[in-house]
Amino acid sequence: MTDIKHDISIGGTADQVYKAVSTYSGVAGWWTKQCTISPDVGGVCHFAFDAPDGRMEVDADVAALDDGRRVSWSITQNSKHPSWVGTSVTFNIAPDGDTTRLAFDHSGFSGQPEFLPQYDQGWQMFLGSIKSFVETGQGKSPY
């Protein structure tokens, strides 16, 4: 596995899911409150996490914003996991009956990073947090 891919169904509209992954109030609700989110392609996002094993900071350029359909970030810095640098995190969003399908992709890792299974587990947890945030208004992130 050199890419992380997950598909989930969320009980909300495509617009709600898009806002959850493209705005400060959305990302702060499911991932980390310590963030800045650029509303523009080419802008920069910053994410910080104070974990028991130390602080992690991540910077990303906004690579794509397709209203209601797609958000993509290009990772430019990760203070704890340099294997993230040069990767892309993409959220593809599509209506699916009375739910919304979120196809998640964290790709572009070179080689087989030692921590890839840990990254995959982390993203599974945070995708569950997105689902909870959209469906109940409450995410499940400790950050």
Side-chain angles (χ1 to χ4, degrees):
M1 170 173 65
T2 55
D3 292 344
I4 298 168
K5 295 179 183 286
H6 294 284
D7 232 5
I8 64 170
S9 180
I10 299 176
T13 67
D15 187 57
Q16 288 172 305
V17 175
Y18 180 79
K19 287 177 180 171
V21 297
S22 66
T23 66
Y24 170 80
S25 61
V27 173
W30 65 267
W31 201 19
T32 179
K33 291 175 181 47
Q34 298 179 76
C35 65
T36 56
I37 305 295
S38 174
D40 303 307
V41 172
V44 175
C45 297
H46 179 78
F47 312 96
F49 308 84
D50 290 315
D53 63 343
R55 183 173 178 84
M56 180 173 84
E57 296 193 34
V58 178
D59 291 326
D61 293 337
V62 178
L65 289 172
D66 298 328
D67 195 22
R69 295 184 322 224
R70 183 169 179 253
V71 174
S72 185
W73 302 321
S74 296
I75 307 299
T76 59
Q77 190 266 130
N78 184 315
S79 63
K80 287 185 86 173
H81 298 285
S83 61
W84 279 40
V85 175
T87 64
S88 296
V89 173
T90 302
F91 304 90
N92 285 300
I93 302 153
D96 187 22
D98 7 341
T99 64
T100 297
R101 171 105 12 234
L102 175 61
F104 171 84
D105 183 14
H106 188 169
S107 60
F109 293 100
S110 63
Q112 183 75 17
E114 173 187 359
F115 295 105
L116 201 60
Q118 177 186 336
Y119 304 159
D120 185 47
Q121 288 175 344
W123 280 122
Q124 287 180 54
M125 179 186 77
F126 289 120
L127 290 168
S129 187
I130 293 172
K131 179 177 175 68
S132 178
F133 177 72
V134 171
E135 293 177 353
T136 71
Q138 188 80 7
K140 296 181 177 182
S141 173
Y143 307 107

